[in-house]
Amino acid sequence: MGKALLKRLALLIGTLLLVSVLAFIAFSVIPGDPTASVLGIEATDEQVAAFRARQGLDLPVWQRYWAWLTAFVRGDFGQSFKFDMPVRALLATRAQVTLVLAAAAFVLIVAISLPLGLLAARRGGGVLDKALDWLVTVTTQITMSVPNFVLGIGLMYLFALVLHWFEPEFVPLEDGLWPHLRFMVFPALAVALPKSAMTVKLLRGSILGELGQDYIRTAYSKGNSRGSALRRHVLRNAMIPVVTFLAMAIGDIMAGSIVVEQVFGIPGLGRILISSIGNRDYPVVQAVVVMVASVVVGCNFLADLLYRVMDPRIERT
Amino acid sequence: MMLTIRDLSVVFTDREKPFTAVDKFSLDIDQGEIVGVVGESGSGKSMTAHALMGLIRRSEVSVTGSALFEGTQLLSLSRAQLRQYQGRDLSIIFQEPMTSLNPTMRIGKQVEEALFIHEKLSPVERKAKALDAMALAGLPDPEGIYRQYPHQLSGGMRQRVMIAAALVLRPRLLIADEPTTALDVTVQAQILDTLREINRREGTAILFISHDLGVVKALCSRVVVMKQGKIVESGPADEVFRHPKEDYTRLLIASRPSRRKLRGGGTDG
């Protein structure tokens, strides 16, 4: 188990390096230059040359990458061209906002889909069960096919403008944790609903699949009720594919958060990423890309660990 | 009589024409007795076993008749009442040892499960009883296997784990539903020896279901032969084997490969 984990860890670091290289190369390939957006189009050639020399933009791309990388591992994310302040300071609060949004979305996905998946997997055969089953299927179909920014606008309209459950204005963490979360629930819902729908479908299928297994018959033969067979045998096994799915969904959740931030006017990583790409503010973009990639890759690594704990059959391979 | 089965029928009502899988099955099993049920696949023998164990849970399958177990009518119990018997007085082992165990649960926990459900014991007491049952089922190194997972064991070992789990509460009746069909010939003979040993030492009655008349004859005192849901012949095992009254039974005897090969060159016969 130890060797396999080391391998995964090496893969994780390799992936992050590759992502940072790709982001760096992308910016040296696409047209556009930060000088115009920082100095203005009327800057003299001397000013431009001085700026480029100061930021190291006149060096070859691999030298710039090496300089960036060595600084980055020391915790120095560089200076923003546009805002003339350290990237670290610039991103700190924004990263917090996006992480809260993504984490809230993740918690909502789990909180919504676990009970619904269980409910949808009931095979009572009664009229009520059939109706419930149908309802869950239809709802999941709908939420799965609506893009999350449309959902965001819909939620905004319904809860802010019609029901007045929240003010459509961002509440920062400084105003208190509770008011902050209270606002964040709604954008998080916009991110979470489509993913919850998929998780419900997956969990339902997974539970029904496990219920048909021979070992469930064994469980019943020992005197288990349906409930205890579910708790003791089915749930854990049915969760194995769901955990993998959720871990992979974290990338989508981050991406969804960045989009939904625009709809709800949240000053998170998404906003600064998009404006920084426009300004060719490389150090900021580079830092955001690596941060998001770290979260995604890190969560996948955690899921892999969890997977190994949940399924003893993995151990041998 | 410990178990008296009369006119047990299992009918699938979800077809256009209701399909009778078991048709008026009747059988008596006394304490400590080993009774065999033989028939080709689809003859309704497994369905009979599952009906007795209360494992037919689908509403479109109707189970009728009478199965009197020590004065209790099993077929009219509610699910909750029936659960009191499952795994405690009545146990079953299945044909597929590879899939009948939960792949992500340690062997020990699966062997203990019936104890956990039916009795209030400390973990230490549970483990002691589990190890005891595992030894009874012929598992070498119970302590080591206790901590293992099913995929780490061979088919024969898994079937022994199933036997241990079924016996952990020392049931009065063990239903063995083709327990050796999926196993190698040599392993088959060892498992049969273990079942015979358990019957002798614990006095556990066994309802042994098989398509193999030779195996049944070697193990059982009495045998019933089933065909298309109905009993076509019954009697003492030797008698049925030596002087089959029905053509079908004769066919079953003729169709099986050399008995010597199956029983690893066994001596009784």
Side-chain angles (χ1 to χ4, degrees):
Chain A
M1 181 147 168
K3 206 172 152 196
L5 278 187
L6 268 166
K7 232 161 102 182
R8 291 285 306 179
L9 209 60
L11 201 66
L12 182 150
I13 292 166
T15 309
L16 286 181
L17 276 175
L18 192 68
V19 166
S20 70
V21 168
L22 284 178
F24 222 88
I25 291 174
F27 266 87
S28 60
V29 171
I30 58 169
D33 194 283
T35 50
S37 67
V38 175
L39 301 173
I41 45 168
E42 276 145 39
T44 61
D45 287 351
E46 289 79 38
Q47 280 176 310
V48 169
F51 176 81
R52 291 183 64 90
R54 184 156 50 91
Q55 303 294 357
L57 289 173
D58 46 356
L59 296 171
V61 64
W62 66 269
Q63 276 188 14
R64 277 191 284 137
Y65 178 73
W66 182 251
W68 171 83
L69 185 66
T70 46
F72 190 87
V73 292
R74 273 185 276 116
D76 176 8
F77 294 7
Q79 266 319 92
S80 161
F81 298 159
K82 177 76 180 170
F83 298 97
D84 201 28
M85 64 187 289
V87 172
R88 237 186 127 103
L90 186 69
L91 292 184
T93 55
R94 291 177 169 84
Q96 173 265 310
V97 169
T98 299
L99 283 180
V100 167
L101 179 56
F106 189 79
V107 170
L108 280 176
I109 289 172
V110 174
I112 293 169
S113 55
L114 288 198
L116 280 185
L118 266 173
L119 210 61
R122 278 178 53 135
R123 264 186 318 190
V127 181
L128 195 71
D129 285 324
K130 287 224 172 71
L132 200 79
D133 195 41
W134 184 81
L135 191 72
V136 168
T137 311
V138 170
T139 318
T140 51
Q141 269 326 328
I142 292 173
T143 42
M144 234 153 71
S145 43
V146 176
N148 48 21
F149 62 90
V150 174
L151 202 62
I153 294 170
L155 288 175
M156 183 94 134
Y157 178 77
L158 178 66
F159 290 113
L161 302 180
V162 177
L163 295 172
H164 297 287
W165 284 11
F166 76 106
E167 290 296 313
E169 192 185 356
F170 177 67
V171 185
L173 187 59
E174 292 89 81
D175 292 7
L177 180 65
W178 182 238
H180 181 58
L181 285 179
R182 197 176 130 66
F183 173 82
M184 291 298 242
V185 160
F186 297 95
L189 207 57
V191 179
L193 279 182
K195 281 282 159 216
S196 308
M198 287 184 217
T199 316
V200 168
K201 270 191 100 64
L202 180 70
L203 183 61
R204 172 180 191 270
S206 188
I207 290 176
L208 289 181
E210 292 298 327
L211 277 174
Q213 298 289 319
D214 285 344
Y215 69 81
I216 300 304
R217 188 180 57 189
T218 308
Y220 284 136
S221 79
K222 290 173 179 172
N224 274 297
S225 63
R226 188 181 160 90
S228 61
L230 264 176
R231 266 197 315 280
R232 223 170 276 153
H233 295 275
V234 174
L235 272 190
R236 180 197 170 109
N237 295 350
M239 280 309 286
I240 293 173
V242 177
V243 165
T244 314
F245 172 78
L246 284 177
M248 290 198 292
I250 285 178
D252 288 350
I253 293 172
M254 292 296 286
S257 302
I258 284 170
V259 174
V260 167
E261 276 173 15
Q262 311 298 314
V263 177
F264 283 82
I266 296 170
L269 287 181
R271 232 199 221 177
I272 191 123
L273 180 67
I274 287 167
S275 70
S276 298
I277 291 173
N279 294 329
R280 302 289 185 267
D281 199 343
Y282 309 148
V284 177
V285 176
Q286 192 73 12
V288 173
V289 166
V290 173
M291 263 160 106
V292 172
S294 306
V295 171
V296 172
V297 177
C299 287
N300 274 315
F301 179 70
L302 279 182
D304 203 53
L305 282 184
L306 201 60
Y307 196 63
R308 277 160 204 282
V309 173
M310 288 178 85
D311 193 343
R313 285 165 298 185
I314 304 295
E315 202 180 351
R316 292 202 301 184
T317 49
Chain B
M1 206 50 69
M2 185 181 70
L3 177 65
T4 309
I5 307 166
R6 287 293 174 270
D7 296 333
L8 176 71
S9 294
V10 179
V11 181
F12 288 73
T13 56
D14 57 339
R15 320 285 162 97
E16 265 179 46
K17 203 173 137 224
F19 169 71
T20 306
V22 180
D23 193 5
K24 298 202 172 108
F25 181 95
S26 296
L27 180 69
D28 295 329
I29 303 173
D30 212 347
Q31 291 183 22
E33 203 181 6
I34 309 184
V35 180
V37 179
V38 219
E40 58 191 0
S41 53
S43 60
K45 51 197 195 309
S46 281
M47 203 53 80
T48 307
H50 291 190
L52 283 176
M53 272 308 286
L55 292 177
I56 299 177
R57 300 167 63 91
R58 286 158 57 192
S59 52
E60 64 269 22
V61 181
S62 85
V63 178
T64 54
S66 154
L68 215 56
F69 178 76
E70 302 193 322
T72 307
Q73 180 52 257
L74 291 177
L75 300 186
S76 59
L77 292 179
S78 71
R79 269 193 193 165
Q81 289 169 326
L82 188 64
R83 284 203 290 274
Q84 300 301 311
Y85 288 86
Q86 290 172 323
R88 183 207 286 275
D89 300 296
L90 306 165
S91 278
I92 185 166
I93 55 177
F94 300 101
Q95 186 176 347
E96 309 87 358
M98 307 310 275
T99 53
S100 292
L101 292 164
N102 184 341
T104 65
M105 197 185 260
R106 287 183 200 276
I107 297 295
K109 233 187 137 193
Q110 303 197 51
V111 174
E112 284 175 9
E113 191 172 3
L115 285 171
F116 190 85
I117 294 168
H118 294 287
E119 303 212 328
K120 283 193 164 41
L121 294 173
S122 72
V124 179
E125 289 170 310
R126 268 206 300 275
K127 183 173 178 181
K129 290 203 173 204
L131 292 178
D132 211 32
M134 288 165 79
L136 180 66
L139 281 163
D141 184 24
E143 188 82 43
I145 291 177
Y146 185 89
R147 283 188 307 273
Q148 286 189 301
Y149 288 100
H151 72 264
Q152 296 168 305
L153 302 178
S154 68
M157 286 298 146
R158 288 191 216 187
Q159 193 60 285
R160 289 186 189 278
V161 169
M162 285 295 292
I163 293 173
L167 288 176
V168 74
L169 275 162
R170 300 296 187 274
R172 310 290 306 278
L173 174 68
L174 175 68
I175 300 175
D177 182 10
E178 302 234 22
T180 60
T181 305
L183 303 175
D184 286 346
V185 180
T186 45
V187 180
Q188 209 176 53
Q190 291 162 8
I191 297 272
L192 292 179
D193 284 341
T194 300
L195 287 176
R196 201 182 286 116
E197 176 71 10
I198 287 163
N199 168 261
R200 197 180 55 77
R201 270 174 53 187
E202 304 290 330
T204 313
I206 300 176
L207 180 62
F208 190 89
I209 292 163
S210 179
H211 62 273
D212 190 328
L213 194 52
V215 169
V216 166
K217 177 181 166 290
L219 193 68
C220 307
S221 52
R222 281 188 303 123
V223 54
V224 299
V225 182
M226 280 182 88
K227 182 192 177 188
Q228 290 171 359
K230 289 190 181 72
I231 294 178
V232 291
E233 182 160 5
S234 66
D238 274 343
E239 191 76 15
V240 171
F241 194 72
R242 223 171 292 155
H243 311 289
K245 287 196 275 292
E246 293 290 322
D247 290 346
Y248 179 69
T249 313
R250 227 167 275 137
L251 268 171
L252 272 182
I253 296 168
S255 69
R256 60 180 298 271
S258 145
R259 182 163 50 91
R260 194 147 305 203
K261 206 165 72 198
L262 271 174
R263 300 216 52 253
T267 45
D268 66 303

